[in-house]
Amino acid sequence: DLAITVITAFLWLVSTFAWAKALADIKMSTGASIIAGIESCKAPGTTCRFGSVTSMRTLNVSVVFGLLNMVLWGGNIWVLYKDINLQN
């Protein structure tokens, strides 16, 4: 049980960080800074402006809950470790 819990906690941690990085990339690629890279906005006489982006609050919350879940897995590891009789 301990080994499976350690592996699961590690994979959860890695996947949470991967999701956080992907979310940061999504925010960067949908932000106002992309206007400068759009070729049609560079045409003479053309004005491009940034309107808005849908709120990403729920996505931020999902990253926070992923990290909190990692803390719970870490607690489970500690409980399992303390429960194992290492004398045998």
Side-chain angles (χ1 to χ4, degrees):
D1 283 347
L2 180 63
I4 292 172
T5 303
V6 169
I7 291 168
T8 303
F10 176 74
L11 291 176
W12 197 278
L13 179 67
V14 170
S15 64
T16 298
F17 283 139
W19 171 235
K21 171 68 172 117
L23 181 57
D25 291 344
I26 290 170
K27 287 179 180 180
M28 187 185 330
S29 63
T30 59
S33 62
I34 65 168
I35 292 176
I38 300 173
E39 290 298 320
S40 59
C41 290
K42 296 178 183 176
T46 303
T47 303
C48 294
R49 59 181 184 181
F50 186 76
S52 67
V53 174
T54 303
S55 173
M56 301 214 184
R57 184 178 9 216
T58 56
L59 298 177
N60 293 333
V61 169
S62 71
V63 171
V64 170
F65 277 124
L67 291 172
L68 290 175
N69 199 4
M70 175 52 210
V71 171
L72 289 175
W73 278 104
N76 287 340
I77 291 170
W78 179 252
V79 168
L80 283 172
Y81 176 76
K82 294 303 272 183
D83 193 41
I84 294 174
N85 186 1
L86 298 176
Q87 306 272 327
N88 293 335

